[in-house]
Amino acid sequence: MLRLKGSYGTQGNDNVGYTKVYEDLYTISRVDGEASVTKVFRAAPEVTWEKSNNFNVGIESRFLNKITLNADFFIKETKDMIYSKPLAPSSGSPTSQLVNDIDMKNTGIEFEIGVDIVKNRNLYWNVTLNGTHYKNQLTKLPTDKSDLERYPHGYQSGSYWRQLGGSLYDFYTYEWAGVDEKTGLPLYNKYYNLKEVIDPATGQPQLDAEGNIVYEEVSDQFGEHVKTVNSSSDATLRQTGKSALPKLYGGFSTSLSTHGFDFSASFAYQVGGYTFDSNYQSLMSAGSVGRNWHKDAFNRWTPNNTQTDVPRLQNAFQEANSTSTRWLIDASYISLRNVTIGYTFPERLTQKISMQSLRIFLTGDNLWYLSRRKGLDVRQSFSGATGFTYSALRTVSGGISVTF
């Protein structure tokens, strides 16, 4: 059996994180001891819903009466995404205003494969696997960032780098280079180009005592030269080539039933993508009274432990946990979402006590989770950000299902 399917549709999205956009918003605060009304949000009367065009084509099939295959190819184009556009200081406060000024596109595939490994009168065993792979691309940058002379390679937006063809969540930060074995200080990469130093008196290149042209280092993420420095403030912010978006995610499950007994288990997984582990970063600081450290602090640099990636501990040392690629960690994971085991009593027994069916069962949710770092739940956000968020609770329950 083979069935083809396809669809196309357009939809709007008003769930963009703002509840009032068409009028100015104010707050009452105290200025010089007097009550004052301060504008905190600038009205955006031209803002509209974000719009999505969704195209989908796929197949549904079954082979040999035991293998099921469903696959879809999709394209989702999102237009008029909300952007907080910076305004000139002369415009007053607030210094930004919402506009519809970013477009992006998601292109990908989804699949589901199911196999009836055993299917007869006494035993049924099925295994199912599904997954999604997609590519996220920015197809239109904000108008004020589209000048190729000013922004030839894109622009920085917080911890991300935005460019045409790139994703919405490509990380942009300092590049970690390890620990200096001699001093225990952290190392970061500085990328730079060499520029001739011009003598202001002559307008000509400045020469040293030996008659050589003097050059100065100009930091540039695309620089031809690289060296290591001990402070992130001297390093170069750079595109990391790492995105928060996974290469593949989905789930797999199995179900088994025989002679009234039934068993099922379902897993979820993700392959690829990166998470910025800010919680781990905070636990690897220089420390202060009443603060905890991660156990990895035991592996810090000392004169007797120079082969390590943990800098030395030093009171009030700000560079101990500066933001960098050091805290970007592979976001791959696997989790056991549910296990259920049960037993359904035969009808010949239940009919004797005037019941249509009787089943007892035991089920557990969120029983197991494994990621690259113990204690890190990478499922907190699509953006790769982490915070003080509870993971899904582990629960175990049992019950009796009766039908009269």
Side-chain angles (χ1 to χ4, degrees):
M1 180 193 75
L2 178 63
R3 179 183 301 169
L4 300 178
K5 61 181 181 180
S7 65
Y8 179 83
T10 300
Q11 66 185 74
N13 174 36
D14 66 346
N15 185 20
V16 294
Y18 303 92
T19 56
K20 294 183 180 293
V21 299
Y22 299 119
E23 55 191 29
D24 294 330
L25 299 180
Y26 299 83
T27 186
I28 298 177
S29 57
R30 184 179 296 273
V31 178
D32 296 330
E34 300 291 336
S36 174
V37 177
T38 304
K39 183 188 289 188
V40 294
F41 182 85
R42 187 182 294 271
E46 303 300 323
V47 166
T48 65
W49 286 12
E50 295 180 348
K51 307 172 187 66
S52 295
N53 298 324
N54 302 283
F55 169 76
N56 178 284
V57 62
I59 61 169
E60 296 179 354
S61 58
R62 185 169 178 82
F63 305 97
L64 306 176
N65 199 33
K66 63 186 305 182
I67 301 175
T68 301
L69 172 63
N70 300 324
D72 294 270
F73 170 78
F74 64 87
I75 299 175
K76 180 178 181 180
E77 294 181 316
T78 304
K79 299 181 179 297
D80 296 331
M81 294 173 61
I82 302 295
Y83 169 66
S84 183
K85 179 181 179 180
L87 301 177
S90 58
S91 301
S93 182
T95 58
S96 63
Q97 186 177 35
L98 299 182
V99 293
N100 298 101
D101 210 13
I102 300 180
D103 295 347
M104 74 175 184
K105 178 172 70 172
N106 290 324
T107 306
I109 58 171
E110 295 177 325
F111 67 88
E112 182 180 58
I113 302 173
V115 180
D116 295 333
I117 299 177
V118 180
K119 186 179 181 181
N120 56 44
R121 181 178 178 181
N122 297 318
L123 176 64
Y124 175 72
W125 182 21
N126 172 269
V127 175
T128 301
L129 169 69
N130 66 74
T132 300
H133 166 76
Y134 71 98
K135 183 176 183 180
N136 175 256
Q137 291 178 294
L138 292 170
T139 57
K140 177 181 179 295
L141 297 181
T143 304
D144 62 328
K145 305 294 186 183
S146 299
D147 187 341
L148 294 180
E149 292 187 4
R150 294 181 60 194
Y151 305 99
H153 304 289
Y155 69 98
Q156 179 186 2
S157 178
S159 300
Y160 309 102
W161 186 260
R162 304 278 165 78
Q163 63 180 338
L164 287 176
S167 84
L168 198 61
Y169 299 116
D170 291 335
F171 285 107
Y172 180 74
T173 187
Y174 298 107
E175 195 170 271
W176 172 252
V179 174
D180 190 317
E181 293 183 12
K182 296 180 179 179
T183 65
L185 294 174
L187 296 175
Y188 306 91
N189 285 331
K190 178 180 180 179
Y191 292 82
Y192 62 96
N193 290 317
L194 295 176
K195 179 182 178 182
E196 294 179 351
V197 177
I198 303 300
D199 189 329
T202 64
Q204 299 298 318
Q206 184 176 326
L207 304 178
D208 61 17
E210 299 178 354
N212 299 313
I213 296 177
V214 177
Y215 293 90
E216 63 178 346
E217 297 177 359
V218 179
S219 183
D220 184 349
Q221 69 162 318
F222 303 104
E224 298 178 357
H225 307 275
V226 60
K227 69 177 184 179
T228 56
V229 294
N230 297 126
S231 173
S232 61
S233 60
D234 297 325
T236 308
L237 283 168
R238 200 163 191 263
Q239 298 179 58
T240 65
K242 298 177 179 180
S243 172
L245 303 179
K247 301 294 184 184
L248 177 70
Y249 68 90
F252 56 94
S253 63
T254 185
S255 59
L256 176 71
S257 61
T258 180
H259 300 289
F261 291 95
D262 62 270
F263 169 83
S264 66
S266 61
F267 295 79
Y269 69 88
Q270 177 174 298
V271 179
Y274 286 84
T275 290
F276 189 90
D277 194 354
S278 58
N279 292 333
Y280 179 67
Q281 178 188 19
S282 67
L283 292 171
M284 295 297 288
S285 68
S288 61
V289 176
R291 290 289 300 273
N292 291 324
W293 274 320
H294 192 278
K295 66 177 182 179
D296 287 353
F298 286 120
N299 191 37
R300 67 193 183 279
W301 181 94
T302 67
N304 298 321
N305 182 37
T306 60
Q307 300 292 321
T308 178
D309 60 352
V310 181
R312 71 190 192 192
L313 291 183
Q314 179 179 324
N315 183 45
F317 183 44
Q318 299 299 317
E319 293 296 331
N321 64 339
S322 294
T323 296
S324 70
T325 55
R326 179 185 176 190
W327 317 111
L328 289 178
I329 186 169
D330 186 349
S332 300
Y333 77 87
I334 183 172
S335 67
L336 177 56
R337 299 185 62 183
N338 175 268
V339 173
T340 299
I341 185 170
Y343 178 72
T344 301
F345 289 86
E347 289 186 4
R348 57 184 175 81
L349 295 180
T350 58
Q351 289 178 353
K352 292 181 179 181
I353 52 178
S354 302
M355 293 182 182
Q356 292 186 14
S357 65
L358 174 62
R359 179 175 180 265
I360 58 175
F361 63 91
L362 181 68
T363 185
D365 295 310
N366 305 308
L367 297 178
W368 176 73
Y369 171 84
L370 178 66
S371 67
R372 182 58 61 90
R373 178 175 289 125
K374 184 178 181 180
L376 170 63
D377 191 341
V378 302
R379 301 169 295 181
Q380 297 182 35
S381 67
F382 282 108
S383 65
T386 56
F388 299 104
T389 304
Y390 285 109
S391 298
L393 295 178
R394 179 184 300 166
T395 60
V396 178
S397 59
I400 300 175
S401 178
V402 178
T403 303
F404 290 99

